[in-house]
Amino acid sequence: MSETRKGVRGFDLDLHVAFSRPLPRAEALSALLVLEGLRVDLYQPHPQAIRRTEAGASDLAGEVPSARLTGPLGDPELVRSGLRALLGGPARTVEVGLRGYLRSAEGQTEWMPWRKNAVLRRTQVEGVAFTEGVKYILE
């Protein structure tokens, strides 16, 4: 008799950071350290889409315009503190919330659509309530 393997449902912190200007990879990673314990995916231009200078060297190589961080929500106040640091520094906008997911027994994750968007001023970080399914856009 075979055993059925079930997936997992839940909510994870899903955070997108758009930098005010593309940052070198190391600088982007350093800036994101204020939100420790999360998985970081740096969004970089595809190598074929990078513009070439006359000398043939790329002028955007290694530059990161934005990033995505995901993982379990730890202390909400620590996350808010990290958001303040990013918005007071290199971030142009931040989108953050607890996003629903379905994770298969094999580990594949399907993210659910957001139920609601809430747009806040970048100074209103205390308004981020981490309500399940709500994406807070700080700009």
Side-chain angles (χ1 to χ4, degrees):
M1 185 179 221
S2 67
E3 187 177 317
T4 303
R5 294 176 46 192
K6 293 187 177 186
V8 177
R9 292 176 187 234
F11 288 86
D12 263 350
L13 187 66
D14 188 6
L15 196 140
H16 290 257
V17 177
F19 297 115
S20 54
R21 63 175 176 77
L23 299 177
R25 182 180 175 82
E27 194 176 327
L29 286 170
S30 177
L32 297 171
L33 285 177
V34 297
L35 296 162
E36 61 184 53
L38 300 174
R39 178 181 167 197
V40 176
D41 292 312
L42 299 176
Y43 294 142
Q44 293 180 272
H46 189 276
Q48 293 177 341
I50 295 175
R51 294 174 295 187
R52 302 273 172 198
T53 62
E54 289 178 14
S58 64
D59 60 350
L60 291 177
E63 302 240 319
V64 178
S66 59
R68 180 179 187 197
L69 293 88
T70 55
L73 174 65
D75 180 355
E77 206 44 55
L78 285 177
V79 174
R80 286 187 196 98
S81 176
L83 294 174
R84 283 185 200 93
L86 284 169
L87 289 164
R92 180 174 40 92
T93 61
V94 174
E95 298 176 3
V96 60
L98 289 178
R99 190 168 190 184
Y101 67 83
L102 297 171
R103 192 164 293 134
S104 72
E106 292 77 34
Q108 288 183 307
T109 301
E110 293 291 329
W111 294 96
M112 299 297 103
W114 294 104
R115 287 188 250 163
K116 180 181 174 186
N117 292 335
V119 180
L120 303 171
R121 287 190 200 103
R122 58 190 300 117
T123 57
Q124 294 179 307
V125 173
E126 69 282 347
V128 177
F130 300 106
T131 304
E132 292 176 350
V134 177
K135 176 172 61 171
Y136 298 87
I137 303 163
L138 297 155
E139 52 184 16

